[in-house]
Amino acid sequence: MSDTLLQQLDDDGVLLLTLNRPKKKNAFNKEQWLAFRDALVAASENPRVACVVITGAGSDFSSGVDLNDFSDADGEHPFEVSAKALVDFDKPVVSAAKGVAVGGGATLLLHTDVVYVGHSLRLRFPFTALGLVPEWGSSYQLQAIIGARKAAEIMYTSEWLNAEKAVDLGIASASFDDDLLLDKAMEKAREIAQWPISSLVETKKLMRSVHRAAIHSAMGGETEGMARLAGSAENIEAVVAIMEKRKPDFKQFRR
Protein backbone atom coordinates (compact mmCIF):
# COMPACT_ATOMS: atom_id res chain seq x y z
CA MET A 1 0.00 0.00 0.00
CA SER A 2 1.18 3.52 -0.84
CA ASP A 3 -0.07 6.72 0.75
CA THR A 4 0.01 8.32 -2.72
CA LEU A 5 -3.14 6.33 -3.52
CA LEU A 6 -5.88 5.83 -0.94
CA GLN A 7 -8.17 2.81 -1.27
CA GLN A 8 -11.55 2.17 0.31
CA LEU A 9 -13.87 -0.75 -0.54
CA ASP A 10 -17.46 -0.48 0.69
CA ASP A 11 -20.03 -3.18 1.33
CA ASP A 12 -21.69 -2.52 -2.04
CA GLY A 13 -18.58 -3.59 -3.97
CA VAL A 14 -17.45 -0.08 -4.90
CA LEU A 15 -13.71 0.55 -4.61
CA LEU A 16 -12.80 4.22 -4.19
CA LEU A 17 -9.30 5.13 -5.39
CA THR A 18 -8.14 8.60 -4.38
CA LEU A 19 -5.04 10.12 -5.97
CA ASN A 20 -3.36 11.50 -2.87
CA ARG A 21 -0.69 14.09 -3.59
CA PRO A 22 -2.83 17.22 -3.09
CA LYS A 23 0.12 19.56 -2.49
CA LYS A 24 1.34 18.60 -5.98
CA LYS A 25 -2.18 18.80 -7.47
CA ASN A 26 -2.06 15.00 -7.48
CA ALA A 27 0.67 14.91 -10.11
CA PHE A 28 1.75 11.35 -10.79
CA ASN A 29 5.20 10.30 -9.61
CA LYS A 30 6.61 6.81 -10.19
CA GLU A 31 5.38 5.53 -6.84
CA GLN A 32 1.84 6.64 -7.56
CA TRP A 33 1.80 5.15 -11.05
CA LEU A 34 2.85 1.78 -9.68
CA ALA A 35 0.36 2.03 -6.82
CA PHE A 36 -2.39 2.81 -9.32
CA ARG A 37 -1.41 -0.16 -11.49
CA ASP A 38 -1.28 -2.49 -8.49
CA ALA A 39 -4.68 -1.32 -7.27
CA LEU A 40 -6.29 -2.00 -10.65
CA VAL A 41 -4.74 -5.45 -10.92
CA ALA A 42 -5.92 -6.31 -7.41
CA ALA A 43 -9.41 -4.91 -8.11
CA SER A 44 -9.70 -7.01 -11.26
CA GLU A 45 -8.88 -10.16 -9.28
CA ASN A 46 -10.97 -9.31 -6.21
CA PRO A 47 -14.44 -10.95 -6.44
CA ARG A 48 -15.81 -8.34 -4.03
CA VAL A 49 -15.07 -5.41 -6.35
CA ALA A 50 -17.83 -4.65 -8.86
CA CYS A 51 -17.03 -1.04 -9.78
CA VAL A 52 -14.19 1.42 -9.23
CA VAL A 53 -14.41 5.17 -8.59
CA ILE A 54 -11.34 7.36 -9.21
CA THR A 55 -11.03 10.84 -7.72
CA GLY A 56 -8.39 13.25 -6.47
CA ALA A 57 -7.66 14.48 -2.95
CA GLY A 58 -8.01 18.17 -2.22
CA SER A 59 -9.15 20.67 -4.84
CA ASP A 60 -7.86 18.96 -8.00
CA PHE A 61 -8.10 15.72 -9.92
CA SER A 62 -4.55 15.52 -11.32
CA SER A 63 -2.06 17.82 -13.01
CA GLY A 64 -0.58 14.84 -14.86
CA VAL A 65 3.12 14.02 -14.85
CA ASP A 66 5.32 15.14 -11.97
CA LEU A 67 8.27 16.46 -13.99
CA ASN A 68 10.49 16.18 -10.92
CA ASP A 69 10.06 12.40 -10.92
CA PHE A 70 10.02 11.29 -14.55
CA SER A 71 13.54 9.95 -14.90
CA ASP A 72 14.20 6.87 -16.99
CA ALA A 73 13.36 3.53 -15.43
CA ASP A 74 14.77 0.09 -15.98
CA GLY A 75 12.54 -1.70 -18.47
CA GLU A 76 9.03 -0.42 -19.13
CA HIS A 77 8.37 2.94 -17.48
CA PRO A 78 5.78 2.97 -14.64
CA PHE A 79 3.86 5.55 -16.70
CA GLU A 80 3.32 3.05 -19.51
CA VAL A 81 2.61 0.18 -17.11
CA SER A 82 -0.08 2.21 -15.38
CA ALA A 83 -1.67 3.33 -18.66
CA LYS A 84 -1.92 -0.22 -19.97
CA ALA A 85 -3.45 -1.41 -16.69
CA LEU A 86 -6.25 1.13 -17.00
CA VAL A 87 -6.84 0.48 -20.71
CA ASP A 88 -7.15 -3.27 -20.05
CA PHE A 89 -9.09 -3.02 -16.78
CA ASP A 90 -12.16 -5.23 -17.08
CA LYS A 91 -14.64 -3.73 -14.60
CA PRO A 92 -16.67 -0.50 -14.82
CA VAL A 93 -14.88 2.70 -13.76
CA VAL A 94 -16.51 5.96 -12.71
CA SER A 95 -14.37 9.09 -12.37
CA ALA A 96 -15.06 12.19 -10.29
CA ALA A 97 -12.86 15.10 -11.39
CA LYS A 98 -12.82 18.68 -10.19
CA GLY A 99 -10.29 21.48 -10.39
CA VAL A 100 -7.24 20.81 -12.54
CA ALA A 101 -7.26 17.80 -14.87
CA VAL A 102 -4.30 18.27 -17.18
CA GLY A 103 -2.14 15.96 -19.29
CA GLY A 104 -2.29 12.52 -17.73
CA GLY A 105 -5.06 13.82 -15.48
CA ALA A 106 -7.11 14.51 -18.61
CA THR A 107 -6.16 11.46 -20.67
CA LEU A 108 -6.91 9.15 -17.73
CA LEU A 109 -10.53 10.32 -17.80
CA LEU A 110 -10.91 9.15 -21.40
CA HIS A 111 -10.50 5.54 -20.25
CA THR A 112 -13.15 5.67 -17.53
CA ASP A 113 -16.66 4.56 -18.39
CA VAL A 114 -18.65 7.29 -16.62
CA VAL A 115 -17.09 10.73 -16.13
CA TYR A 116 -18.59 13.13 -13.61
CA VAL A 117 -16.96 16.54 -13.21
CA GLY A 118 -17.22 19.39 -10.75
CA HIS A 119 -18.13 22.91 -11.80
CA SER A 120 -14.57 23.99 -11.00
CA LEU A 121 -13.09 21.71 -13.67
CA ARG A 122 -10.19 23.05 -15.75
CA LEU A 123 -9.38 20.35 -18.31
CA ARG A 124 -6.53 20.49 -20.80
CA PHE A 125 -4.70 18.27 -23.26
CA PRO A 126 -1.52 20.41 -23.35
CA PHE A 127 0.75 18.34 -25.56
CA THR A 128 1.28 20.65 -28.55
CA ALA A 129 1.88 23.53 -26.15
CA LEU A 130 4.65 21.44 -24.59
CA GLY A 131 6.23 20.54 -27.93
CA LEU A 132 5.15 16.92 -27.42
CA VAL A 133 2.51 14.44 -28.62
CA PRO A 134 -0.60 13.02 -26.88
CA GLU A 135 -0.29 10.16 -24.39
CA TRP A 136 -2.27 7.29 -22.83
CA GLY A 137 -3.84 6.46 -26.20
CA SER A 138 -5.62 9.82 -26.24
CA SER A 139 -4.70 10.45 -29.89
CA TYR A 140 -7.24 7.71 -30.66
CA GLN A 141 -9.56 7.75 -27.67
CA LEU A 142 -10.52 11.42 -27.78
CA GLN A 143 -11.53 11.04 -31.44
CA ALA A 144 -13.54 7.93 -30.63
CA ILE A 145 -15.46 9.77 -27.92
CA ILE A 146 -16.16 13.18 -29.48
CA GLY A 147 -15.32 12.86 -33.18
CA ALA A 148 -12.22 13.54 -35.24
CA ARG A 149 -12.76 17.23 -36.03
CA LYS A 150 -13.58 18.31 -32.49
CA ALA A 151 -10.69 16.22 -31.16
CA ALA A 152 -8.29 17.77 -33.66
CA GLU A 153 -9.29 21.28 -32.63
CA ILE A 154 -8.74 20.50 -28.96
CA MET A 155 -5.43 18.69 -29.49
CA TYR A 156 -3.97 21.24 -31.91
CA THR A 157 -4.86 24.28 -29.79
CA SER A 158 -4.17 22.86 -26.30
CA GLU A 159 -7.18 24.90 -25.17
CA TRP A 160 -8.62 24.88 -21.67
CA LEU A 161 -12.06 23.30 -21.25
CA ASN A 162 -14.47 24.02 -18.43
CA ALA A 163 -17.09 21.65 -17.05
CA GLU A 164 -19.87 22.91 -19.31
CA LYS A 165 -17.84 22.40 -22.47
CA ALA A 166 -16.58 19.01 -21.32
CA VAL A 167 -20.17 17.85 -20.95
CA ASP A 168 -21.29 19.47 -24.23
CA LEU A 169 -18.48 17.70 -26.12
CA GLY A 170 -19.22 14.35 -24.49
CA ILE A 171 -15.92 14.08 -22.63
CA ALA A 172 -17.89 14.20 -19.37
CA SER A 173 -21.21 12.54 -18.62
CA ALA A 174 -22.51 15.23 -16.24
CA SER A 175 -21.36 18.09 -14.01
CA PHE A 176 -22.24 18.87 -10.40
CA ASP A 177 -21.32 21.31 -7.65
CA ASP A 178 -17.92 20.31 -6.31
CA ASP A 179 -19.39 19.48 -2.90
CA LEU A 180 -21.82 16.98 -4.45
CA LEU A 181 -19.46 15.48 -7.02
CA LEU A 182 -18.06 12.49 -5.16
CA ASP A 183 -21.44 11.57 -3.65
CA LYS A 184 -22.98 11.57 -7.15
CA ALA A 185 -20.15 9.41 -8.50
CA MET A 186 -20.46 6.94 -5.63
CA GLU A 187 -24.23 6.83 -6.09
CA LYS A 188 -23.81 5.96 -9.78
CA ALA A 189 -21.14 3.37 -8.97
CA ARG A 190 -23.44 1.65 -6.47
CA GLU A 191 -26.21 1.64 -9.07
CA ILE A 192 -23.81 -0.20 -11.38
CA ALA A 193 -22.43 -2.49 -8.66
CA GLN A 194 -25.82 -3.98 -7.79
CA TRP A 195 -25.70 -6.21 -10.89
CA PRO A 196 -23.72 -9.46 -11.39
CA ILE A 197 -20.01 -8.79 -11.78
CA SER A 198 -19.79 -11.45 -14.49
CA SER A 199 -22.35 -9.54 -16.55
CA LEU A 200 -20.59 -6.21 -16.00
CA VAL A 201 -17.24 -7.67 -17.04
CA GLU A 202 -18.60 -9.32 -20.17
CA THR A 203 -20.51 -6.19 -21.14
CA LYS A 204 -17.44 -3.98 -20.75
CA LYS A 205 -15.40 -6.52 -22.70
CA LEU A 206 -17.85 -6.31 -25.60
CA MET A 207 -18.06 -2.52 -25.54
CA ARG A 208 -14.29 -2.05 -25.35
CA SER A 209 -13.12 -4.83 -27.67
CA VAL A 210 -13.63 -2.76 -30.82
CA HIS A 211 -11.37 -0.02 -29.39
CA ARG A 212 -8.70 -1.87 -27.40
CA ALA A 213 -6.41 -2.83 -30.30
CA ALA A 214 -6.60 0.69 -31.72
CA ILE A 215 -5.79 2.22 -28.34
CA HIS A 216 -2.75 -0.01 -27.89
CA SER A 217 -1.62 0.84 -31.41
CA ALA A 218 -2.02 4.55 -30.65
CA MET A 219 -0.03 4.15 -27.44
CA GLY A 220 2.81 2.57 -29.37
CA GLY A 221 2.86 5.43 -31.86
CA GLU A 222 2.67 7.98 -29.06
CA THR A 223 5.66 6.41 -27.31
CA GLU A 224 7.69 6.70 -30.52
CA GLY A 225 6.57 10.29 -31.07
CA MET A 226 7.34 11.23 -27.48
CA ALA A 227 10.84 9.76 -27.83
CA ARG A 228 11.46 11.91 -30.90
CA LEU A 229 10.20 15.17 -29.37
CA ALA A 230 11.09 14.93 -25.67
CA GLY A 231 14.18 17.04 -25.07
CA SER A 232 13.83 18.90 -28.36
CA ALA A 233 14.53 22.62 -28.46
CA GLU A 234 10.80 23.35 -28.58
CA ASN A 235 10.07 21.06 -25.64
CA ILE A 236 12.84 22.62 -23.57
CA GLU A 237 11.57 26.11 -24.40
CA ALA A 238 8.06 25.10 -23.28
CA VAL A 239 9.29 23.72 -19.95
CA VAL A 240 11.59 26.69 -19.26
CA ALA A 241 8.75 29.08 -20.07
CA ILE A 242 6.53 27.35 -17.52
CA MET A 243 9.24 27.61 -14.85
CA GLU A 244 9.85 31.26 -15.72
CA LYS A 245 6.08 31.95 -15.85
CA ARG A 246 6.15 33.44 -19.33
CA LYS A 247 4.74 32.67 -22.75
CA PRO A 248 6.98 30.35 -24.79
CA ASP A 249 8.59 31.64 -27.97
CA PHE A 250 8.38 28.90 -30.59
CA LYS A 251 8.82 31.28 -33.54
CA GLN A 252 12.55 31.45 -32.83
CA PHE A 253 12.87 27.89 -34.17
CA ARG A 254 11.28 28.76 -37.55
CA ARG A 255 13.97 31.12 -38.75
Side-chain angles (χ1 to χ4, degrees):
M1 299 288 289
S2 167
D3 62 5
T4 65
L5 183 75
L6 306 181
Q7 303 185 47
Q8 183 177 350
L9 177 60
D10 68 15
D11 292 337
D12 294 305
V14 175
L15 174 64
L16 175 62
L17 300 180
T18 304
L19 307 177
N20 189 41
R21 301 185 75 219
K23 292 182 180 179
K24 294 286 188 178
K25 296 185 184 295
N26 299 316
F28 276 85
N29 61 7
K30 286 185 284 189
E31 179 185 347
Q32 190 174 40
W33 273 315
L34 292 176
F36 187 63
R37 184 276 311 270
D38 291 345
L40 291 178
V41 171
S44 178
E45 297 173 351
N46 189 341
R48 293 180 56 211
V49 176
C51 186
V52 171
V53 173
I54 303 173
T55 194
S59 302
D60 302 291
F61 183 66
S62 175
S63 58
V65 171
D66 185 341
L67 296 177
N68 294 315
D69 188 31
F70 196 72
S71 57
D72 292 336
D74 294 331
E76 194 171 29
H77 197 283
F79 169 86
E80 296 172 343
V81 170
S82 179
K84 290 178 180 177
L86 180 59
V87 168
D88 293 333
F89 187 63
D90 60 352
K91 294 176 180 177
V93 181
V94 177
S95 51
K98 65 181 185 294
V100 169
V102 175
T107 54
L108 187 160
L109 296 176
L110 300 179
H111 300 287
T112 62
D113 302 293
V114 178
V115 180
Y116 284 173
V117 297
H119 291 162
S120 66
L121 181 75
R122 296 178 65 240
L123 177 73
R124 193 187 191 201
F125 302 90
F127 308 108
T128 53
L130 293 173
L132 297 172
V133 298
E135 62 188 14
W136 280 47
S138 60
S139 59
Y140 170 82
Q141 189 69 346
L142 186 60
Q143 296 185 69
I145 293 171
I146 70 172
R149 297 196 185 283
K150 291 179 181 177
E153 182 178 9
I154 290 169
M155 285 295 193
Y156 294 160
T157 61
S158 292
E159 66 177 289
W160 286 95
L161 307 176
N162 60 21
E164 182 180 5
K165 189 160 187 180
V167 173
D168 288 345
L169 287 168
I171 295 173
S173 310
S175 66
F176 302 96
D177 288 339
D178 284 11
D179 292 342
L180 299 176
L181 176 63
L182 185 56
D183 287 342
K184 292 292 185 179
M186 292 297 291
E187 181 182 323
K188 180 57 64 174
R190 292 185 180 112
E191 181 183 343
I192 293 169
Q194 68 180 308
W195 309 123
I197 295 177
S198 58
S199 177
L200 295 173
V201 168
E202 288 299 320
T203 298
K204 180 164 181 174
K205 184 180 187 181
L206 289 168
M207 294 181 69
R208 298 281 286 175
S209 62
V210 69
H211 299 291
R212 187 167 284 115
I215 293 171
H216 279 290
S217 176
M219 290 169 68
E222 290 166 358
T223 298
E224 293 174 1
M226 198 71 75
R228 287 191 293 271
L229 296 183
S232 67
E234 291 89 343
N235 175 228
I236 293 172
E237 166 64 11
V239 174
V240 171
I242 291 173
M243 293 189 294
E244 295 179 350
K245 297 182 179 180
R246 61 172 174 82
K247 187 175 180 179
D249 176 17
F250 296 122
K251 290 184 178 179
Q252 62 180 301
F253 305 111
R254 302 176 187 176
R255 297 172 185 148

